[in-house]
Amino acid sequence: MEANKTIVSANQLAHTVTAVDVSSRERIATIPTPPEPHMLVFDAQRQLLYVAITYRDGIYDAHGDRSHEIVVIDPKNWAVVRVVDISPYEGPHDLAVVGDQLVVACESHGGCLLLLDLPDFRIWGHIPAGTVGPHWLAITPDGGKAYTGNKEAPFVSAYDLASGTMTGKLPMLGGSEDLEAVGDRLYVSDRSEKLLRVFDTSTDNLISQVPLPRRPHRVHVLPNGHVVTSHFGDSWDFEHPDPGSVSIIDPDAGTVLQNIGAGAGPLGITSDEGILYVNNAMDATTTVIDTRTYEVTGTIEMDAGAHEIVVI
């Protein structure tokens, strides 16, 4: 019998990782971490979760000291099996497993991609991002290329992972937020305009852009090729949070199919078997959406600052 699937959330304000059973939507574990966990990724080969501890407190635009740990969690017993100190690197954020390496977008060293050899987490080295603020990370399906969304730079950085070099800059004049590479397309959220930009990863050329109802933040591509972007409310205020939303987009037609209400501060998106899960950082919930009907089918309680979310 196939084991039940699990929703896993990194909660930056509570300093926890939570695990919730997909079928029952009941919490099965709460794992404390150092402050503050922002992003996480599941290593299917080694059956481990890696959690990036980004700042001691705060968000990108207003934070305290940068953190320098990757927490390793075994989901078989929901135990922390290792805390990896990546010093002198600091400010790890988005991360991805590519073969036998963990690729991490880091804010230190002027902004870089940090490469760690698995399973021992030996530091291979880093690739300069060409700018401060590499925050979000996308990997092409073949594992050959990487891209970082750079909040403050007028470009997305492109990298060749085999040679360990930065290979180009994709124009994003107002800065970029999250991005995802699927097939031969790279979908990028514009940080300053209400646009989703689409690039061809074989040439790194812009091929289209889709107007959106609000400025986008996170990006997630569904199995049918539709793209989901999250939108914050009018202000980022934990005392008086505004509801957020997600847009489901047909990138080939260049249209928004549906805009669906979510909780406040939608900061993580994933999907599984036609169900979309949206983490809402400001009200500590996950909004559950049926992507076939565009209906909200439930809300799951998470911990404060619910950030990245995955299903394993």
Side-chain angles (χ1 to χ4, degrees), residues 262-303:
L267 200 51
I269 310 175
T270 194
S271 64
D272 182 67
E273 297 184 0
I275 303 300
L276 191 67
Y277 300 96
V278 182
N279 253 5
N280 307 301
M282 287 192 236
D283 58 14
T285 63
T286 301
T287 301
V288 183
I289 299 169
D290 189 321
T291 62
R292 295 154 292 202
T293 63
Y294 305 142
E295 293 181 353
V296 174
T297 61
T299 302
I300 302 170
E301 296 297 320
M302 287 296 178
D303 287 352

Side-chain angles (χ1 to χ4, degrees), residues 73-239:
I73 296 173
D74 186 342
K76 291 189 293 295
N77 55 15
W78 298 109
V80 173
V81 295
R82 185 171 179 182
V83 178
V84 180
D85 188 340
I86 62 169
S87 298
Y89 295 91
E90 295 179 332
H93 194 253
D94 208 354
L95 63 178
V97 177
V98 181
D100 290 328
Q101 285 193 319
L102 182 64
V103 183
V104 187
C106 276
E107 294 180 10
S108 66
H109 295 69
C112 68
L113 271 192
L114 171 64
L115 306 179
L116 300 168
D117 289 336
L118 296 171
D120 59 0
F121 296 93
R122 182 180 63 86
I123 294 176
W124 180 90
H126 73 272
I127 309 172
T131 180
V132 299
H135 206 63
W136 306 105
L137 174 65
I139 307 291
T140 54
D142 64 1
K145 294 178 72 172
Y147 299 89
T148 52
N150 307 317
K151 284 179 176 277
E152 299 178 51
F155 58 86
V156 163
S157 301
Y159 311 83
D160 179 84
L161 293 178
S163 63
T165 57
M166 179 178 161
T167 57
K169 299 178 179 180
L170 287 60
M172 292 287 296
L173 297 183
S176 51
E177 289 289 353
D178 196 16
L179 67 179
E180 186 164 345
V182 175
D184 61 357
R185 296 290 183 262
L186 178 71
Y187 303 98
V188 186
S189 284
D190 194 296
R191 194 181 194 211
S192 59
E193 297 190 56
K194 300 175 184 178
L195 291 172
L196 175 73
R197 301 188 189 271
V198 185
F199 293 85
D200 184 330
T201 57
S202 65
T203 63
D204 288 344
N205 291 332
L206 179 69
I207 56 175
S208 67
Q209 52 192 32
V210 183
L212 301 173
R214 284 177 165 178
R215 284 183 298 172
H217 195 76
R218 296 304 304 275
V219 177
H220 175 73
V221 182
L222 297 170
N224 65 3
H226 292 164
V227 180
V228 184
T229 61
S230 69
H231 311 282
F232 292 159
D234 294 329
S235 66
W236 182 271
D237 184 346
F238 281 93
E239 298 299 324

Side-chain angles (χ1 to χ4, degrees), residues 233-261:
D234 294 329
S235 66
W236 182 271
D237 184 346
F238 281 93
E239 298 299 324
H240 306 92
D242 292 327
S245 66
V246 295
S247 290
I248 299 183
I249 301 153
D250 182 338
D252 294 331
T255 58
V256 174
L257 300 174
Q258 193 78 20
N259 184 255
I260 306 162

